[in-house]
Amino acid sequence: MVVGDFAIDLDTIVIGAGPGGYVAAIHAAELGQKVTVIEKEFVGGVCLNVGCIPSKALINAGHRFQQSLDSSVFGVSAENVKIDFAKTQDWKQHKVVDRLTGGVNMLFKKHKIDLIMGNAFLKDDHSLRVIQKDSAQTYTFKNLIIATGSRPIEIKGFKFGKRVLDSTGGLNLPEVPKELVVIGGGYIGSELAGAYANLGAHVTILEGTDSILPNFDKDMIKLVLDSYKKKGVTVVTSAMAKEAVETANGVEVSYEADGKLNKVAADYVMVTVGRRPNTNDIGLEIAGIEKTERGLVKVDEQGRTNKKNIYAIGDIVAGASLAHKASYEGKVAAEAIAGKPSTVDYVAMPAVCYTDPELGTAGLTEKDAKKDGHKVKVSKFPFVANGRAISLDQTEGFVKLISEPETGELLGAQVAGAGASDLISELTFALEAGANVEDLALTIHPHPTLGEAIMEAGDVATGFPTHI
Ligand SMILES: Cc1cc2nc3c(=O)[nH]c(=O)nc-3n(C[C@H](O)[C@H](O)[C@H](O)COP(=O)(O)OP(=O)(O)OC[C@H]3O[C@@H](n4cnc5c(N)ncnc54)[C@H](O)[C@@H]3O)c2cc1C
């Protein structure tokens, strides 16, 4: 502390206002704590500003464009279908992102949460300093929740710039590129590749391993690859990206595949090869907080670090980098501070990829269940036998249940197809509630709905399928 810099005593501080931090802050306030949030860039974090939400807005715009171009199967046609991408971007920013981040600010006010815009840096395990433009202030805290999130990884030969973009740049393009190269076929790269292909770009995905979307089953990945083929997306696997060289009007990307050096010219290249936790420059070492070799903060099942009054949640701790995981951990940490016995339980953690078709998974996959030593029964019901899917003309995909053959206990579930992002919630609840496949089969589902495919997958599992 410098002379004249008096520390201000606070109760609970949360660093970072992403889906981990802001949810933790609100829940801590609901549980009676006086909460202060410190955020250096944007309320709502990556998810609301440059992640989940704007990406889904662009994906939706792409779907609308495609539907307008081609609904002839329904006898619907339109002429002169065009995109005004500046308008799309304006809608995404002002009607979607700003509305949601404004909502978080309102919730902070409602719960009397103080928000300080500035960069937080730990001084020890009971105080931190907030650096603002022209000033700095020290605060002491009783409890601290760190939710500083993650940032894109830059790779050698691909320095981010005007034409070499991270996912944030990819979301904020001024125009739909004619040619777009996406490096990395994980869920962010695959989603945005699909979105821009739907918006009219020719997209090339360069993936270093032998498959895109490695966390999903092969039968699900195949559906996405089939749809990329229809959209004209080029997918090159086992491709090592070498270098991007900016040219007068674009960028030239070189990569190695099959032992050969190849080049592809594009308007932009977007690098989505993963994200790095923001744990380097926030004073964790100074406060004596332990990290793993991968730079993640070590926490127990309440999110508590090796310092008993300091918690860490979201992308900076182990597990999938997902917004709902961050929020869930934020609630547990807030409850732990309030003295409740809450602990995390990831058994039913869902994940969704918003490709065409959407992919959803919850609990164990067949492979993981076998690895865990379970006997496994796989029961699949295809959307091609679902009335609602046929009426939507979206029959690709299936619901797949992974269960114990003897007890029928549900171990996991996957959905590929229309509405997968919503349908997976029912299956997540079933896992959370300890349901078995018979419970799913016996649950009356309204007709005609995509959800009936869940019931019918239960019928397949119990041995009495009606529609296949
Ligand atoms: C393009 C894209 C699409 C995605 N789509 C999905 C999706 O569909 N579904 C999903 O579940 N997840 C998705 N994600 C991942 C999701 O955004 C993250 O998992 C989630 O945002 C993590 O939440 P968090 O609270 O841990 O951190 P973040 O959202 O990263 O928030 C951290 C906050 O901390 C602030 N901060 C950092 N350091 C400091 C400091 N020293 N002082 C003060 N403030 C600081 C940052 O400015 C930031 O606002 C997507 C991500 C990307 C990039």
Side-chain angles (χ1 to χ4, degrees), residues 216-224 226 357-361 365-366 378-386 389 394-402 413-421 423-424 427 450-458 460 468:
F216 288 94
D217 287 353
K218 291 218 158 25
D219 50 0
M220 302 170 91
I221 298 168
K222 183 178 178 307
L223 293 167
V224 177
D226 288 349
E358 292 181 349
L359 310 179
T361 181
T365 59
E366 180 182 359
V378 179
S379 319
K380 239 170 151 180
F381 186 83
F383 279 117
V384 77
N386 173 277
Q394 286 182 276
T395 51
E396 63 283 353
F398 50 80
V399 172
K400 181 162 53 173
L401 305 179
I402 313 299
Q414 283 88 45
V415 186
S421 53
L423 294 176
I424 200 65
L427 289 158
L450 295 167
E452 281 176 293
I454 294 175
M455 174 182 74
E456 303 229 38
V460 174
I468 55 168

Side-chain angles (χ1 to χ4, degrees), residues 15-21 38-42 44-47 50-52 55-56 118-121 147-150 167 171 187-188 191-192 275 278 281-282 313-316 321-324 326 352 354:
I15 308 178
I38 300 162
E39 167 57 49
K40 73 170 178 188
E41 194 177 357
F42 35 33
V46 166
C47 176
V50 292
C52 331
S55 60
K56 267 78 259 178
N119 205 330
F121 188 87
T148 46
S150 60
S167 59
L171 287 168
Y187 79 96
I188 295 175
E191 286 184 4
L192 291 179
R275 297 181 61 83
N278 291 324
D281 46 9
I282 51 174
I313 58 169
D315 283 6
I316 59 166
S321 293
L322 293 168
H324 46 275
V352 167
Y354 293 77

Side-chain angles (χ1 to χ4, degrees), residues 315-333:
D315 283 6
I316 59 166
V317 303
S321 293
L322 293 168
H324 46 275
K325 170 190 168 276
S327 300
Y328 172 69
E329 290 168 347
K331 283 190 170 179
V332 170

Side-chain angles (χ1 to χ4, degrees), residues 22-302:
Y22 87 72
V23 169
I26 291 170
H27 201 42
E30 283 169 339
L31 294 170
Q33 293 154 44
K34 181 73 196 109
V35 183
T36 304
V37 174
I38 300 162
E39 167 57 49
K40 73 170 178 188
E41 194 177 357
F42 35 33
V43 169
V46 166
C47 176
L48 268 55
N49 291 279
V50 292
C52 331
I53 296 297
S55 60
K56 267 78 259 178
L58 284 192
I59 288 167
N60 184 49
H63 286 155
R64 281 296 177 105
F65 182 54
Q66 283 304 315
Q67 283 160 12
S68 309
L69 278 177
D70 185 16
S71 287
S72 55
V73 70
F74 303 112
V76 177
S77 60
E79 278 171 21
N80 291 325
V81 178
K82 288 198 244 34
I83 303 177
D84 179 346
F85 198 58
K87 198 166 172 182
T88 309
Q89 289 288 26
D90 187 68
W91 163 76
K92 182 198 82 182
Q93 189 57 43
H94 298 114
K95 295 276 166 36
V96 183
V97 171
D98 291 356
R99 181 170 170 177
L100 282 165
T101 54
V104 176
N105 276 304
M106 272 162 58
L107 289 170
F108 280 176
K109 284 204 182 93
K110 177 180 160 194
H111 291 284
K112 303 198 170 19
I113 294 167
D114 292 321
L115 173 66
I116 299 170
M117 292 305 292
N119 205 330
F121 188 87
L122 282 165
K123 290 178 70 182
D124 56 46
D125 58 8
H126 276 91
S127 71
L128 55 76
R129 201 157 168 77
V130 178
I131 320 289
Q132 291 175 309
K133 234 184 182 171
D134 313 310
S135 61
Q137 173 65 49
T138 299
Y139 298 90
T140 63
F141 53 82
K142 286 198 191 77
N143 293 292
L144 174 70
I145 300 175
I146 309 172
T148 46
S150 60
R151 62 185 183 284
I153 293 176
E154 199 177 62
I155 52 172
K156 197 168 156 254
F158 290 81
K159 187 154 182 41
F160 294 138
K162 191 167 163 254
R163 303 263 167 197
V164 183
L165 310 169
D166 60 9
S167 59
T168 301
L171 287 168
N172 292 324
L173 283 177
E175 75 265 324
V176 176
K178 284 197 181 64
E179 288 286 340
L180 173 69
V181 173
V182 175
I183 297 183
Y187 79 96
I188 295 175
S190 296
E191 286 184 4
L192 291 179
Y196 276 109
N198 282 337
L199 288 163
H202 174 256
V203 181
T204 303
I205 300 176
L206 302 177
E207 164 57 45
T209 68
D210 63 358
S211 170
I212 60 162
L213 298 169
N215 296 331
F216 288 94
D217 287 353
K218 291 218 158 25
D219 50 0
M220 302 170 91
I221 298 168
K222 183 178 178 307
L223 293 167
V224 177
L225 288 172
D226 288 349
S227 128
Y228 279 157
K229 207 170 191 176
K230 279 192 211 139
K231 293 184 213 298
V233 174
T234 308
V235 180
V236 190
T237 51
S238 305
M240 288 316 296
K242 290 282 179 195
E243 198 186 13
V245 178
E246 291 207 13
T247 56
N249 302 316
V251 60
E252 193 174 67
V253 177
S254 55
Y255 66 96
E256 212 175 273
D258 287 333
K260 274 188 277 172
L261 192 68
N262 303 279
K263 289 191 175 175
V264 46
D267 302 289
Y268 297 96
V269 52
M270 183 170 65
V271 182
T272 55
V273 294
R275 297 181 61 83
R276 207 182 290 294
N278 291 324
T279 52
N280 280 348
D281 46 9
I282 51 174
L284 292 177
E285 299 76 11
I286 294 169
I289 294 170
E290 287 174 7
K291 291 197 278 185
T292 66
E293 271 171 24
R294 290 186 51 223
L296 297 165
V297 181
K298 283 189 192 170
V299 289
D300 69 9
E301 53 190 10
Q302 291 198 304

